[in-house]
PDB file of all heavy atoms in Angstrom:
ATOM      1  N   ARG A  43     -17.792  13.490  13.719  1.00 84.00           N
ATOM      2  CA  ARG A  43     -17.974  14.087  14.968  1.00 84.00           C
ATOM      3  C   ARG A  43     -16.950  13.616  16.096  1.00 84.00           C
ATOM      4  O   ARG A  43     -17.090  13.987  17.279  1.00 84.00           O
ATOM      5  CB  ARG A  43     -19.423  13.631  15.514  1.00 84.00           C
ATOM      6  CG  ARG A  43     -20.554  14.010  14.613  1.00 84.00           C
ATOM      7  CD  ARG A  43     -21.825  13.420  14.942  1.00 84.00           C
ATOM      8  NE  ARG A  43     -22.913  13.815  14.057  1.00 84.00           N
ATOM      9  CZ  ARG A  43     -23.134  13.401  12.848  1.00 84.00           C
ATOM     10  NH1 ARG A  43     -22.397  12.492  12.304  1.00 84.00           N
ATOM     11  NH2 ARG A  43     -24.177  13.813  12.080  1.00 84.00           N
ATOM     12  N   GLN A  44     -15.926  12.948  15.604  1.00 80.00           N
ATOM     13  CA  GLN A  44     -14.869  12.442  16.447  1.00 80.00           C
ATOM     14  C   GLN A  44     -13.649  13.324  16.254  1.00 80.00           C
ATOM     15  O   GLN A  44     -12.987  13.422  15.235  1.00 80.00           O
ATOM     16  CB  GLN A  44     -14.532  11.027  16.160  1.00 80.00           C
ATOM     17  CG  GLN A  44     -13.436  10.414  17.082  1.00 80.00           C
ATOM     18  CD  GLN A  44     -13.095   8.998  16.786  1.00 80.00           C
ATOM     19  OE1 GLN A  44     -13.984   8.245  16.448  1.00 80.00           O
ATOM     20  NE2 GLN A  44     -11.852   8.607  16.944  1.00 80.00           N
ATOM     21  N   GLY A  45     -13.244  14.075  17.365  1.00 76.00           N
ATOM     22  CA  GLY A  45     -12.161  15.055  17.252  1.00 76.00           C
ATOM     23  C   GLY A  45     -10.870  14.589  16.749  1.00 76.00           C
ATOM     24  O   GLY A  45     -10.238  15.328  15.961  1.00 76.00           O
ATOM     25  N   GLY A  46     -10.440  13.420  17.090  1.00 78.00           N
ATOM     26  CA  GLY A  46      -9.113  12.934  16.718  1.00 78.00           C
ATOM     27  C   GLY A  46      -9.186  12.137  15.369  1.00 78.00           C
ATOM     28  O   GLY A  46      -8.150  11.570  15.012  1.00 78.00           O
ATOM     29  N   ALA A  47     -10.261  12.069  14.767  1.00 85.00           N
ATOM     30  CA  ALA A  47     -10.316  11.154  13.552  1.00 85.00           C
ATOM     31  C   ALA A  47      -9.523  11.783  12.386  1.00 85.00           C
ATOM     32  O   ALA A  47      -9.197  12.937  12.326  1.00 85.00           O
ATOM     33  CB  ALA A  47     -11.767  11.033  13.136  1.00 85.00           C
ATOM     34  N   ARG A  48      -9.226  10.962  11.498  1.00 87.00           N
ATOM     35  CA  ARG A  48      -8.517  11.314  10.222  1.00 87.00           C
ATOM     36  C   ARG A  48      -9.180  10.585   9.038  1.00 87.00           C
ATOM     37  O   ARG A  48      -9.726   9.438   9.256  1.00 87.00           O
ATOM     38  CB  ARG A  48      -7.025  10.925  10.319  1.00 87.00           C
ATOM     39  CG  ARG A  48      -6.361  11.626  11.542  1.00 87.00           C
ATOM     40  CD  ARG A  48      -4.841  11.318  11.497  1.00 87.00           C
ATOM     41  NE  ARG A  48      -4.081  12.102  10.576  1.00 87.00           N
ATOM     42  CZ  ARG A  48      -3.662  13.287  10.793  1.00 87.00           C
ATOM     43  NH1 ARG A  48      -3.877  13.812  11.863  1.00 87.00           N
ATOM     44  NH2 ARG A  48      -3.008  13.962   9.792  1.00 87.00           N
ATOM     45  N   VAL A  49      -9.047  11.142   7.865  1.00 87.00           N
ATOM     46  CA  VAL A  49      -9.531  10.474   6.662  1.00 87.00           C
ATOM     47  C   VAL A  49      -8.334  10.162   5.725  1.00 87.00           C
ATOM     48  O   VAL A  49      -7.386  10.977   5.687  1.00 87.00           O
ATOM     49  CB  VAL A  49     -10.656  11.121   6.027  1.00 87.00           C
ATOM     50  CG1 VAL A  49     -11.924  11.218   6.964  1.00 87.00           C
ATOM     51  CG2 VAL A  49     -10.303  12.571   5.663  1.00 87.00           C
ATOM     52  N   THR A  50      -8.504   9.343   4.757  1.00 85.00           N
ATOM     53  CA  THR A  50      -7.528   9.207   3.753  1.00 85.00           C
ATOM     54  C   THR A  50      -7.675  10.193   2.715  1.00 85.00           C
ATOM     55  O   THR A  50      -8.740  10.850   2.574  1.00 85.00           O
ATOM     56  CB  THR A  50      -7.678   7.825   3.076  1.00 85.00           C
ATOM     57  OG1 THR A  50      -8.844   7.723   2.334  1.00 85.00           O
ATOM     58  CG2 THR A  50      -7.628   6.644   4.140  1.00 85.00           C
ATOM     59  N   ARG A  51      -6.641  10.402   1.918  1.00 85.00           N
ATOM     60  CA  ARG A  51      -6.629  11.380   0.924  1.00 85.00           C
ATOM     61  C   ARG A  51      -7.778  11.092  -0.128  1.00 85.00           C
ATOM     62  O   ARG A  51      -8.453  11.997  -0.524  1.00 85.00           O
ATOM     63  CB  ARG A  51      -5.266  11.404   0.193  1.00 85.00           C
ATOM     64  CG  ARG A  51      -5.200  12.138  -1.055  1.00 85.00           C
ATOM     65  CD  ARG A  51      -3.719  12.195  -1.453  1.00 85.00           C
ATOM     66  NE  ARG A  51      -3.600  12.641  -2.861  1.00 85.00           N
ATOM     67  CZ  ARG A  51      -2.363  12.965  -3.434  1.00 85.00           C
ATOM     68  NH1 ARG A  51      -1.352  12.802  -2.746  1.00 85.00           N
ATOM     69  NH2 ARG A  51      -2.364  13.259  -4.758  1.00 85.00           N
ATOM     70  N   GLU A  52      -7.968   9.809  -0.472  1.00 86.00           N
ATOM     71  CA  GLU A  52      -9.041   9.399  -1.401  1.00 86.00           C
ATOM     72  C   GLU A  52     -10.352   9.765  -0.801  1.00 86.00           C
ATOM     73  O   GLU A  52     -11.265  10.205  -1.555  1.00 86.00           O
ATOM     74  CB  GLU A  52      -8.923   7.952  -1.676  1.00 86.00           C
ATOM     75  CG  GLU A  52      -7.664   7.513  -2.467  1.00 86.00           C
ATOM     76  CD  GLU A  52      -6.431   7.325  -1.543  1.00 86.00           C
ATOM     77  OE1 GLU A  52      -6.557   7.484  -0.297  1.00 86.00           O
ATOM     78  OE2 GLU A  52      -5.352   6.988  -2.039  1.00 86.00           O
ATOM     79  N   GLN A  53     -10.627   9.539   0.496  1.00 89.00           N
ATOM     80  CA  GLN A  53     -11.935   9.880   1.070  1.00 89.00           C
ATOM     81  C   GLN A  53     -12.085  11.347   1.017  1.00 89.00           C
ATOM     82  O   GLN A  53     -13.319  11.805   0.731  1.00 89.00           O
ATOM     83  CB  GLN A  53     -11.960   9.428   2.477  1.00 89.00           C
ATOM     84  CG  GLN A  53     -12.095   7.871   2.600  1.00 89.00           C
ATOM     85  CD  GLN A  53     -11.957   7.501   4.141  1.00 89.00           C
ATOM     86  OE1 GLN A  53     -11.091   7.941   4.873  1.00 89.00           O
ATOM     87  NE2 GLN A  53     -12.750   6.444   4.478  1.00 89.00           N
ATOM     88  N   PHE A  54     -11.155  12.084   1.342  1.00 91.00           N
ATOM     89  CA  PHE A  54     -11.259  13.573   1.275  1.00 91.00           C
ATOM     90  C   PHE A  54     -11.678  14.031  -0.006  1.00 91.00           C
ATOM     91  O   PHE A  54     -12.542  14.847  -0.246  1.00 91.00           O
ATOM     92  CB  PHE A  54      -9.953  14.188   1.735  1.00 91.00           C
ATOM     93  CG  PHE A  54      -9.990  15.740   1.777  1.00 91.00           C
ATOM     94  CD1 PHE A  54     -10.287  16.369   2.939  1.00 91.00           C
ATOM     95  CD2 PHE A  54      -9.670  16.501   0.616  1.00 91.00           C
ATOM     96  CE1 PHE A  54     -10.455  17.752   2.930  1.00 91.00           C
ATOM     97  CE2 PHE A  54      -9.744  17.908   0.713  1.00 91.00           C
ATOM     98  CZ  PHE A  54     -10.141  18.496   1.843  1.00 91.00           C
ATOM     99  N   VAL A  55     -10.960  13.563  -1.112  1.00 92.00           N
ATOM    100  CA  VAL A  55     -11.301  13.965  -2.467  1.00 92.00           C
ATOM    101  C   VAL A  55     -12.691  13.560  -2.864  1.00 92.00           C
ATOM    102  O   VAL A  55     -13.384  14.327  -3.484  1.00 92.00           O
ATOM    103  CB  VAL A  55     -10.202  13.377  -3.442  1.00 92.00           C
ATOM    104  CG1 VAL A  55     -10.691  13.650  -4.941  1.00 92.00           C
ATOM    105  CG2 VAL A  55      -8.835  14.068  -3.255  1.00 92.00           C
TER     106      VAL A  55
END
Side-chain angles (χ1 to χ4, degrees):
R43 300 168 180 83
Q44 181 177 326
R48 306 182 73 86
V49 296
T50 66
R51 172 169 161 173
E52 293 83 1
Q53 288 173 320
F54 182 91
V55 170

